Amino acid sequence: MIIYMNFVLKISLSWGYFRLEQESGFFFNMKYFEEEVHKGNWDEVKKYLSGFTKVDDNRYSMKIFLEIRKQKYPEALDKHDRSKAVEILIKDLKVFASFNEDLFKEITQLLTLENFRENEQLSKYGDTNRLEL
């Protein structure tokens, strides 16, 4: 497997390399994962990670998927796109309500604020690509 992966990478098929990593679950490329996180490519981060673990595999998987999905929400709020924020709440975050009901309520309350930074815990955040709720 390693020889094949090296061959795919050597002939500049990086998309094939990452797909092979993801589909085989053989090798987790932390550098690639970190780069995508820093770029704020949350859908790609979620997709890549899904090749190695599922949301309901264990509580650690659930927590990391929650953290990834939470990043999209303040980005929508920062752009004052309330409909997108509500869509993210329902589509991406509601499944975690039973995992952490208080957090889900707190996140939902951010919709009522003109600027989510009015929330005391989020007042110092400036860059929504690096926001941590």
Side-chain angles (χ1 to χ4, degrees):
M1 181 66 104
I2 293 174
I3 294 170
Y4 182 72
M5 290 175 72
N6 286 335
F7 171 74
V8 170
L9 193 56
K10 187 179 277 187
I11 61 172
S12 299
L13 292 176
S14 59
W15 61 268
Y17 181 80
F18 293 124
R19 174 76 70 194
L20 184 60
E21 287 175 350
Q22 181 182 26
E23 289 180 2
S24 70
F26 180 70
F27 176 75
F28 187 86
N29 188 330
M30 183 59 100
K31 182 179 179 190
Y32 173 75
F33 185 75
E34 288 175 349
E35 287 172 358
E36 295 303 309
V37 168
H38 287 287
K39 290 182 207 173
N41 293 335
W42 305 118
D43 291 331
E44 178 59 25
V45 168
K46 183 173 63 172
K47 182 178 159 189
Y48 186 76
L49 188 61
S50 294
F52 299 92
T53 187
K54 303 295 178 237
V55 173
D56 57 359
D57 279 353
N58 57 58
R59 67 186 189 112
Y60 301 108
S61 294
M62 184 173 286
K63 183 160 176 53
I64 195 163
F65 276 103
L66 172 61
E67 294 302 321
I68 291 167
R69 291 180 183 189
K70 280 190 330 186
Q71 295 300 320
K72 293 166 42 175
Y73 183 67
E75 289 174 2
L77 290 175
D78 199 33
K79 295 175 185 170
H80 302 286
D81 190 346
R82 299 262 190 249
S83 61
K84 181 69 175 174
V86 169
E87 179 185 323
I88 292 167
L89 264 177
I90 294 167
K91 182 180 167 194
D92 292 338
L93 298 174
K94 190 170 185 168
V95 299
F96 297 103
S98 61
F99 174 66
N100 192 335
E101 190 175 331
D102 291 335
L103 179 63
F104 185 75
K105 287 177 183 177
E106 184 179 327
I107 290 171
T108 303
Q109 289 295 321
L110 296 177
L111 280 171
T112 64
L113 302 175
E114 183 62 33
N115 181 344
F116 70 88
R117 290 174 187 87
E118 293 173 17
N119 177 294
E120 186 178 331
Q121 293 176 320
L122 303 175
S123 63
K124 295 180 181 167
Y125 287 106
D127 183 0
T128 55
N129 286 329
R130 294 178 169 250
L131 185 64
E132 296 177 20
L133 292 176

